[in-house]
Amino acid sequence: MTISRREFIRLMGMAGAAGMLPASTFAAAKRPSDLYEIPKFGNVCLMHMTDCHAQLNPVYFREPSVNLGVGNAYGKAPHLVGNAMLKHFGIENNSIEAHAFSYLNFDEASRAYGKVGGFAHLASLVKRIRSERGNENTLLMDGGDTWQGSGTAYWTRGKDMVGACNLLGVDVMTGHWEFTYKDKEVIENIGEFKGEFIAQNIHLNEDAQFDYKFSEFSGYNEDDNRAFKPYTIKNVGGARVAVIGQAFPYTPIANPQRFMPDWTFGIKDDAMQEMVDQVRETEKPDVVVVLSHNGMDVDLKMASRVTGIDAIFGGHTHDGMPAPTVVKNPGGKTLVTNAGSNGKFLGVMDLDVRGGKVRDFRYRLVPIFSNQLPADHEMQSYIDNVRKPYKDVLEEKLAVAGETLYRRGNFNGTFDQIICDALNTVNDSQISLSPGFRWGTTVLPGQNITMDHVMDQTCITYPETYRREMSGEDIKLILEDVCDNLFNDDPYFQQGGDMVRVGGLDYVCRPNNKMGKRISNMTLDDGTPIDASKKYVVGGWATVGSKSPGRPIWDVVADYMRLQETVSIKKLNTPKLVGVDGNPGVG
Amino acid sequence: MSTDTKRRLFLKGTLASGVVALAAGAGLINPRQVLAAWPKSAFEAKSVSEAMKGIAGTDTAAGNDKITIKAPDIAENGAVVPVKVDATKISGVDSIAIIAEKNPTPLIANFKMGKSTHAFVSTRIKMGKTSNVIAVVSAGGSVSTARKEVKVTIGGCGG
């Protein structure tokens, strides 16, 4: 069942649309008649999209049921799931917002409310807001992870998304997966992008400084050694808005450095402070915001250390947060938002800016329900054209989903399990490892799994598979290393991905422990303990060191699916968690 | 003048400048050739304690917040980790040593400062695994330290 717009509005009236708003801020707000009636406020409207992962068409996307916070992050946004998250943000159970922001009742609610996202629907909303607020009073920011994540993005080397963003009218962006094309392609794509690409935290490394191959690139500054323009000043609603870019700090660690040999990244919060001070001093802005791909936990820490930022618009960790976190620092307060992923949301922050200062704000993370927002014709025909050459390949039906197939969550999702099972079956390995990315769309039970879905889950520029021997000790080392990227109690040591997915391997995980002490009781599927000194045949993909020799992962997964009519998992290799009882980050 | 003498003079005057650090990092200058009293045992020491005794005569130096170490939280490449040590807030610095706690031989470098030298060094060090980087600063007979953890990871799996 899919409900119509009219039916939807009726239901919304009944459910009480105010439920999506944090009770503290919006208790008195008048209940809007529909989800997209966003009351005007102030004079500056900043729109923010992030981590769409090249999803041009509407998709299903299940929010996580496990998103643990450890140490200081325990029980705080974004480490809240299910009912705990609804309660924290004052969202009514069983409402459309509860469906948008949580995994609860996912299949049924997905069937009722339909797909989310899609650039044509997003474009309608953006146009509506621009016309309501006045074009000159709005700015559209894109936090990155836009050029990667679909078959068409991969085959066009990100260009389909550059075109779509130009059509959407993105004013300013920063990046992460953008850098996983060849550096030459990154520079070319930025050249075709009509907005501005900014990043204060990417510099040339020492070798590149001697003879830089992109010395002619307009964003490069020889004096401060930055590879890209660090910030931009925009006139919005009569105010001077400074937007400082912060690219994903750990790109050359989380992704292959060979694609970006000349650039060095990092959090560089001291450089951020200098940049904020310099911008405030020389540009005299009314508003200073950061467009960040740090990930929410890193943004929260950065906001507590760096002063002079009004708001950080964050991404990377794919946390669809209905309201900003207000962070105190020695200079005042900074708002930290995170706008989800896969094109599912548009963040809308309205600011009242007067006398050179932000006086007040309103924020909403607006879910894009494609049944409730008309498709913008121009964008839809662009998307159809982009997909045309690849349509037959992408729409190949591989199998039927025997259950909900999803990825997002700290540990194995069901789609990850399929990938791991495919590796073990097709490549004949005992144990398989698959990266804990946070992108990848969801397939409902009974839905056809197409090549599109497989590409959504696997599409990277280093998709090659491997099959090699590893000792039990090596495998534990890998699990410990990745687990520390996730659960280190200092956010600056977190890389923002989830735990490595495993097939054919069970283990016990203690997230609150220190590195080296989190993983124990490793066994094969049949219960045989893993021996530290014994060798095991391990299959995997997405190696960040040197290129692996095997076929691309999507071919392996497609082969596995073609062998079956209905694809289900036999067993979910999710670890037994110890020490997380009562943690509101587990559903 | 022999090459070595030139190098020695060069080092004496401007040891702490970025240029020299760069040259040392790139392997152009071998400290063994240029330092008159090469503390062999310190550089071959297998523990932090031995290394510190070898260069500073003590392994119990207090922490000093006047020393700042600038290094990445997570190394992009463990083979070339950029490290900067700034001890300019301390007067009369005689030497700045850099130690990577968990390296098989922890002492990486010991920069001897000339009289009017700016107490700032910048170099790139090799680190096998996650560990503290320790700066040991000797000034007028007193020794103090600062430390910063640098993580060396296998990478991958980013969101």
Side-chain angles (χ1 to χ4, degrees), chain A residues 219-434:
Chain A
Y220 169 55
N221 182 341
E222 205 176 343
D223 297 330
D224 67 9
N225 200 33
R226 283 192 166 94
F228 302 93
K229 192 175 169 174
Y231 73 91
T232 182
I233 301 282
K234 298 285 185 186
N235 270 307
V236 188
R240 280 170 68 75
V241 178
V243 187
I244 302 173
Q246 174 86 348
F248 176 49
Y250 293 130
T251 307
I253 299 163
N255 308 95
Q257 198 164 24
R258 64 180 188 272
F259 297 133
M260 56 207 102
D262 289 349
W263 302 327
T264 173
F265 294 62
I267 297 172
K268 305 185 183 177
D269 60 8
D270 48 352
M272 177 63 83
Q273 185 67 68
E274 280 172 30
M275 181 60 50
V276 172
D277 294 346
Q278 180 204 320
V279 165
R280 287 227 177 249
E281 176 71 26
T282 60
E283 303 278 3
K284 307 284 181 214
D286 302 298
V287 184
V288 175
V289 301
V290 171
L291 178 59
S292 164
H293 206 99
N294 272 338
M296 184 142 178
D297 296 281
V298 177
D299 279 336
L300 291 171
K301 180 172 172 182
M302 193 172 83
S304 74
R305 291 160 62 96
V306 177
T307 60
I309 300 168
D310 292 303
I312 299 176
F313 291 87
H316 185 54
T317 38
H318 296 193
D319 301 306
M321 291 294 107
T325 298
V326 183
V327 180
K328 283 187 190 155
N329 57 49
K333 286 175 187 168
T334 299
L335 303 172
V336 175
T337 73
N338 209 275
S341 69
N342 286 272
K344 192 171 167 181
F345 300 104
L346 179 72
V348 180
M349 188 180 281
D350 288 299
L351 298 171
D352 176 15
V353 183
R354 274 175 293 136
K357 277 171 91 167
V358 176
R359 304 286 166 174
D360 201 357
F361 77 96
R362 295 289 182 273
Y363 180 77
R364 267 195 211 193
L365 188 61
V366 185
I368 312 291
F369 281 101
S370 56
N371 288 345
Q372 317 302 337
L373 282 163
D376 176 76
H377 291 300
E378 196 187 1
M379 185 65 86
Q380 192 59 57
S381 69
Y382 173 82
I383 294 169
D384 294 344
N385 271 330
V386 158
R387 286 177 58 86
K388 205 182 272 168
Y390 314 104
K391 205 171 180 323
D392 291 346
V393 175
L394 289 173
E395 291 180 3
E396 183 195 337
K397 181 194 148 184
L398 299 167
V400 174
E403 63 197 288
T404 319
L405 299 180
Y406 64 93
R407 171 174 289 148
R408 182 72 209 281
N410 284 161
F411 304 96
N412 278 33
T414 47
F415 213 127
D416 298 301
Q417 192 68 49
I418 300 289
I419 293 169
C420 288
D421 292 351
L423 279 163
N424 280 343
T425 307
V426 180
N427 285 356
D428 188 25
S429 46
Q430 288 170 283
I431 294 171
S432 48
L433 301 175
S434 182

Side-chain angles (χ1 to χ4, degrees), chain A residues 21 43 60 153 235 249 265 267 340 352 356 358 394 463 479 483 492 512 575:
Chain A
L21 307 173
N43 51 335
Y60 293 112
N235 270 307
F265 294 62
I267 297 172
D352 176 15
V358 176
L394 289 173
L479 299 189
C483 207
Y492 278 14
N512 300 306

